[in-house]
Amino acid sequence: MSEKVAIITAGGSGMGAAAARRLAQDGFRVAILSSSGKGEALAQELGGFGVTGSNRSGEDLQRLVDGTMARWGRVDVLVNSAGHGPRAPILEITDEQWHTGLDVYFLNAVRPTRLVTPIMQAQKGGAIINISTAWAFEPSAMFPTSAVFRAGLASFTKIFCDTYAADNIRMNNVLPGWIDSLPATEERRASVPLGRYGRAEEIAATIAFLASDGGSYITGQNIRVDGGLTRSV
């Protein structure tokens, strides 16, 4: 059996880094992209491969995928994480800011998916997991560009799954609520039925399950990991 290989974009900190650590713990070789350099350092720590670059750059993503294939010859899992996009009152968001949001929250998943899907087709399988948001379907004015474009990501995911399920390629979205990689406030904590912020490691555990054989019959889903915040939708 070949080594399992996972690519994690925007994996230098927060939920992306937690996912990389958990997948490495579960036996995956990991390749990490981040713009800060932290992802490259984390990849070295985990015995993997890192690229300092942006998921908004097709060239950087190509370097990541090419380097992964040169080292291990396969890609079993892709985890698409994201940075932070523009936030402003809904009608004060400029056209330029909307385009930035599209890049950060939607094309961040589309671009690497284009690159790894042919590899996964040739392997006859693979799993893609997008880190989305609990507010994708119940949008909040706090996160307008995130909510709008991740609702679009949910539609993209369903069409992708319709198209590539026959190749045994799965795609799911993980929808985190208030997670400890964000600044904590009492008001936000009080809004969560479980009464606490989630841990980045809990998001990573969900991602690891979806990447595992145990998750191999799950595709096209939006899985909320939010302490019950969106329990009524």
Side-chain angles (χ1 to χ4, degrees), residues 23-219:
L23 289 167
Q25 180 185 319
D26 287 355
F28 283 84
R29 294 290 190 176
V30 294
I32 305 171
L33 175 79
S34 84
S35 58
S36 67
K38 292 179 183 175
E40 196 165 352
L42 177 59
Q44 290 177 348
E45 176 190 329
L46 298 174
F49 165 61
V51 168
T52 296
S54 172
N55 58 6
R56 296 166 65 178
S57 164
E59 293 79 7
D60 290 348
L61 288 163
Q62 190 70 61
R63 281 196 296 130
L64 177 70
V65 173
D66 288 349
T68 302
M69 291 298 288
R71 282 160 178 77
W72 300 303
R74 61 187 297 113
V75 179
D76 298 281
V77 171
L78 168 65
V79 178
N80 289 312
S81 187
H84 298 285
R87 294 169 55 183
I90 192 71
L91 292 184
E92 295 177 23
I93 301 169
T94 65
D95 284 9
E96 183 181 12
Q97 287 175 316
W98 281 118
H99 282 291
T100 299
L102 177 74
D103 258 345
V104 170
Y105 293 125
F106 179 72
L107 292 175
N108 74 298
V110 175
R111 289 189 188 101
T113 295
R114 282 196 197 110
L115 297 177
V116 305
T117 296
I119 296 166
M120 291 178 172
Q121 283 180 298
Q123 294 169 185
K124 305 192 184 313
I128 301 172
I129 301 129
N130 304 314
I131 300 178
S132 178
T133 176
W135 293 275
F137 304 108
E138 282 299 307
S140 166
M142 283 185 291
F143 309 113
T145 58
S146 169
V148 167
F149 290 114
R150 282 160 160 171
L153 180 60
S155 292
F156 173 87
T157 295
K158 291 178 182 180
I159 296 169
F160 178 90
C161 291
D162 289 345
T163 308
Y164 292 102
D167 294 309
N168 193 34
I169 303 172
R170 300 181 294 110
M171 180 183 282
N172 293 287
N173 300 321
V174 174
L175 279 53
W178 295 119
I179 302 300
D180 61 7
S181 54
L182 296 167
T185 71
E186 191 53 45
E187 181 185 9
R188 292 175 180 178
R189 186 181 290 108
S191 72
V192 180
L194 277 179
R196 64 174 177 87
Y197 273 55
R199 299 186 302 277
E201 290 76 16
E202 290 172 309
I203 303 302
T206 305
I207 291 167
F209 171 69
L210 290 170
S212 74
D213 290 344
S216 60
Y217 201 52
I218 302 173
T219 193

